[in-house]
Amino acid sequence: MMNRKKALIAKALFLLAFVIIWEIVAKRNVFGSNSQIVFPTIETIAKAFVRNFKVGYAGISLWKYILNSMELLLIGLFLGIFLAFVFSAISMINPTFYEIYNMLVSICDLLPGVALLPVVIIIFGIHRSVIVFLVIHSVIWPMSRNLLDGFHSFPQIYIEAGMNIGLRGKSLLTGVYLPATTAYILSGLKVGWARAWRGLLSAEMIFGIASSPGIGLFINQMRTNLNNAEVYATLIVIIIIGVIVQYGIIDTIEKHTIKKWGMSK
Amino acid sequence: MSKTILSVRNLNKVYQDDKSVILENVNLDVEEREFLTILGPSGCGKTTLLRCIAGFEDYTGTVTTDGKVTKDPDVDRFMVFQDFNQLFPWKTVKKNIQYPLRIQGLKDKDELERIANETIASVGLKGYENYYPYQLSGGMKQRVAIAKALALKSKIILMDEPFAALDAMTRTRLQKELLNISKKTDCTFMFVTHNIQEAIILGTRILVFGDGGKILVDEKNPLAKPVSPSSEGYGEFWDRLHSALYQSDN
Ligand SMILES: Nc1ncnc2c1ncn2[C@@H]1O[C@H](COP(=O)(O)OP(=O)(O)O)[C@@H](O)[C@H]1O
Ligand SMILES: [Mg+2]
């Protein structure tokens, strides 16, 4: 392994080289007269970035699209995680429920949410709830899988140690089961978030829900209008959101929980 | 004459999945402040007996703790396991000790602080208050487990070969410390071990179990504390326990 400083320099140099080569390709029209359309210059992309937020599309700033997407994402994540906890908890109490739910999780976990969309749209119509449904579907199965696995694989002595100090039922759940499965919960969250985020963008691009226009719709509109600089600028926004969630939120939670406790898998 | 703190009556234990009787009609009285050490061949049911008393197993018969029939786990009978994993890894040493007190309804911050500091000091872990369990050695983790019981003022501390997985030096040191602790507290101890020397060093009363939890030897420790292998009468007592153990093996 390289030391951190060297690695940081290497990465920075790579990015710089990438930007420079891009700029040369853009300025020299390397790909013929339409080159600027495929490879707009960095300045054009930067201006498009600002324009996305200032002007936006159809008189609405990109902010609004982001907020719409995030709202649906958060509602779906919250409901999906909540339901996963409820069903997984019931599974711990009732063996029959466990068998059936475990089977259901295994089956549904394999089903990409986007593939479900045609069916869901037949039922709900093209509506915001379709996106929420997709997000719930993205997060509930991996979260449940991790919870079910986690509940069965932490050292069972924690349970007896918990009962010995007076924990029972609900207090045992919050005092032992949840903290003991934190590593599993976080990995369920990571998979769930990744699937939900990708699924949401795809669904918005494919079906473009007009009653709640989101980032996917925005980027798709930019493409149909041949605003390629805006497309790149939006991609950068999408990457930034991903970085914030991964490094700003998930990694921070890990650092303050399982890393601190010496419990990372 | 001190009072009986624990009494086991007609205790029978059969595990569900196989029908053999593990404990058969066990009867036992333990007096307050006694340090009971239990020897016995592997598989004779020592762990099972402690688990029944702690309330982790179903059984027939009765266990009475300080005059009350006890069936479920509770803080009056505190189990110190052999497994180093018994601490909650998501809590620091101090929080591991304070959390049970909170569960029991103690809210006063100063009091929680005082008890934690006192018990941490009594098991020789001053300075490790804010360590997480993964940062501790096996011996230190066992000390924290003992500190939890002391903080809770459990009436009976059940110890199932707590030092068996430790190296000899750490083990000897912990025996000494436990002996000192036991002299200062009002707790009663039931301590299972494979090691005859450990049983003699720690116990004020020593039991040897045979199969089915049959009590083969039940004697007050004749040797004055602190006991060492050079103590007067040590060899003779050791031999007696050893032959009882050996006999039970046949
Ligand atoms: N959970 C269990 N289910 C079935 N049999 C068990 C279980 N735990 C222990 N036993 C059996 O009960 C007997 C006594 O075990 P144990 O109490 O652990 O003995 P000891 O602690 O004296 O070595 C052994 O024969 C063991 O195989
Ligand atoms: Mg045992």
Side-chain angles (χ1 to χ4, degrees):
Chain A
M1 282 273 267
M2 262 185 173
N3 71 42
R4 284 177 72 90
K5 207 171 146 195
K6 263 191 184 166
L8 212 65
I9 293 172
K11 288 184 225 175
L13 284 178
F14 172 82
L15 287 179
L16 190 66
F18 180 82
V19 169
I20 290 171
I21 292 169
W22 178 287
E23 195 68 353
I24 292 170
V25 170
K27 286 245 160 85
R28 297 243 158 144
N29 290 326
V30 173
F31 294 101
S33 54
N34 283 339
S35 200
Q36 286 279 338
I37 296 176
V38 185
F39 286 105
T41 60
I42 303 287
E43 304 90 272
T44 321
I45 294 175
K47 279 185 196 136
F49 192 92
V50 176
R51 208 160 43 241
N52 275 345
F53 289 100
K54 278 207 163 147
V55 183
Y57 170 75
I60 304 170
S61 157
L62 179 55
W63 275 125
K64 185 63 191 157
Y65 294 83
I66 294 175
L67 284 180
N68 282 338
S69 291
M70 287 299 153
E71 189 193 345
L72 300 183
L73 201 60
L74 285 179
I75 294 172
L77 282 176
F78 178 79
L79 286 175
I81 292 169
F82 177 76
L83 292 174
F85 274 99
V86 169
F87 292 139
S88 305
I90 298 174
S91 300
M92 291 311 290
I93 300 164
N94 186 319
T96 315
F97 189 89
Y98 171 79
E99 291 302 330
I100 294 170
Y101 190 60
N102 195 32
M103 177 188 73
L104 202 64
V105 170
S106 301
I107 295 171
C108 296
D109 202 27
L110 297 170
L111 197 60
V114 184
L116 260 184
L117 277 187
V119 183
V120 181
I121 286 175
I122 290 171
I123 299 168
F124 290 103
I126 295 186
H127 187 262
R128 318 169 62 183
S129 53
V130 172
I131 302 282
V132 174
F133 181 93
L134 178 80
V135 174
I136 292 176
H137 171 83
S138 301
V139 74
I140 189 172
W141 311 120
M143 186 55 100
S144 298
R145 165 58 54 231
N146 274 277
L147 283 172
L148 293 178
D149 288 352
F151 285 164
H152 285 106
S153 52
F154 68 80
Q156 300 298 294
I157 195 172
Y158 298 160
I159 299 172
E160 285 180 351
M163 289 172 71
N164 208 164
I165 59 172
L167 300 178
R168 291 291 185 283
K170 227 179 76 208
S171 62
L172 197 62
L173 190 72
T174 53
V176 173
Y177 278 84
L178 291 188
T181 43
T182 307
Y184 289 85
I185 293 171
L186 285 174
S187 84
L189 194 63
K190 275 191 221 167
V191 175
W193 148 259
R195 285 189 191 172
W197 180 226
R198 283 158 181 70
L200 169 118
L201 289 172
S202 326
E204 286 180 348
M205 284 173 98
I206 302 168
F207 300 99
I209 296 174
S211 63
S212 178
I215 315 175
L217 180 93
F218 186 91
I219 198 169
N220 207 37
Q221 290 305 324
M222 291 302 144
R223 177 192 63 79
T224 45
N225 297 341
L226 282 180
N227 292 333
N228 282 18
E230 274 80 357
V231 170
Y232 286 118
T234 315
L235 280 182
I236 292 171
V237 171
I238 289 171
I239 291 174
I240 291 173
I241 293 172
V243 167
I244 291 174
V245 172
Q246 178 65 49
Y247 299 100
I249 300 177
I250 294 178
D251 279 11
T252 308
I253 298 176
E254 282 193 343
K255 208 176 92 196
H256 287 94
T257 56
I258 54 176
K259 292 254 165 67
K260 192 164 85 178
W261 306 333
M263 283 179 85
S264 35
K265 276 194 286 182
Chain B
M1 194 58 214
S2 55
K3 71 170 179 182
T4 303
I5 192 80
L6 178 85
S7 126
V8 176
R9 284 287 169 276
N10 308 320
L11 191 148
N12 286 279
K13 171 67 188 171
V14 180
Y15 281 107
Q16 306 249 292
D17 23 353
D18 90 81
K19 293 276 169 283
S20 60
V21 181
I22 306 297
L23 295 172
E24 194 178 1
N25 203 28
V26 176
N27 285 283
L28 180 65
D29 284 308
V30 183
E31 286 177 3
E32 195 166 31
R33 304 206 56 192
E34 245 179 345
F35 198 119
L36 191 69
T37 49
I38 301 173
L39 290 160
S42 228
C44 71
K46 305 180 295 294
T47 296
T48 305
L49 178 63
L50 288 200
R51 291 179 55 80
C52 286
I53 294 171
F56 294 136
E57 301 284 349
D58 290 327
Y59 54 84
T60 62
T62 53
V63 173
T64 311
T65 310
D66 200 19
K68 273 191 311 236
V69 175
T70 45
K71 196 101 185 127
D72 296 319
D74 206 347
V75 287
D76 55 350
R77 290 146 291 136
F78 192 88
M79 184 84 151
V80 176
F81 301 87
Q82 180 180 340
D83 192 337
F84 298 154
N85 264 327
Q86 62 196 296
L87 304 179
F88 293 144
W90 54 88
K91 289 192 182 298
T92 59
V93 167
K94 190 192 264 183
K95 292 274 167 61
N96 259 293
I97 293 169
Q98 291 175 333
Y99 181 58
L101 301 172
R102 288 223 172 96
I103 301 293
Q104 292 306 309
L106 181 58
K107 294 281 183 286
D108 182 37
K109 281 238 161 64
D110 296 335
E111 184 68 357
L112 283 166
E113 201 64 18
R114 188 189 64 73
I115 296 177
N117 289 334
E118 197 180 294
T119 49
I120 287 171
S122 76
V123 296
L125 284 180
K126 234 185 172 133
Y128 292 96
E129 289 81 358
N130 297 318
Y131 279 53
Y132 283 90
Y134 83 98
Q135 298 169 305
L136 304 177
S137 68
M140 291 160 116
K141 287 183 201 172
Q142 298 307 72
R143 292 166 199 233
V144 179
I146 295 168
K148 275 170 74 178
L150 297 176
L152 275 167
K153 297 207 181 335
S154 297
K155 296 198 173 94
I156 301 164
I157 304 182
L158 305 161
M159 306 179 89
D160 188 12
E161 307 194 43
F163 306 153
L166 296 171
D167 63 273
M169 240 168 74
T170 311
R171 185 175 188 151
T172 311
R173 206 165 68 227
L174 278 180
Q175 287 168 357
K176 247 191 219 135
E177 290 178 9
L178 182 59
L179 192 63
N180 285 333
I181 289 168
S182 71
K183 282 182 191 151
K184 284 184 215 140
T185 86
D186 292 329
C187 295
T188 306
F189 292 79
M190 279 182 84
F191 187 106
V192 166
T193 175
H194 260 101
N195 186 312
I196 299 176
Q197 182 173 331
E198 187 166 72
I200 301 175
I201 288 176
L202 291 172
T204 58
R205 176 180 161 199
I206 297 165
L207 299 188
V208 178
F209 274 22
D211 282 335
K214 195 165 168 231
I215 296 171
L216 302 175
V217 174
D218 180 352
E219 283 189 32
K220 289 260 189 274
N221 191 343
L223 308 177
K225 302 243 159 10
V227 182
S228 83
S230 57
S231 299
E232 171 95 26
Y234 177 90
E236 193 191 329
F237 192 41
W238 194 95
D239 283 340
R240 201 159 66 242
L241 295 174
H242 184 260
S243 62
L245 256 177
Y246 180 77
Q247 179 199 1
S248 74
D249 247 1
N250 285 326

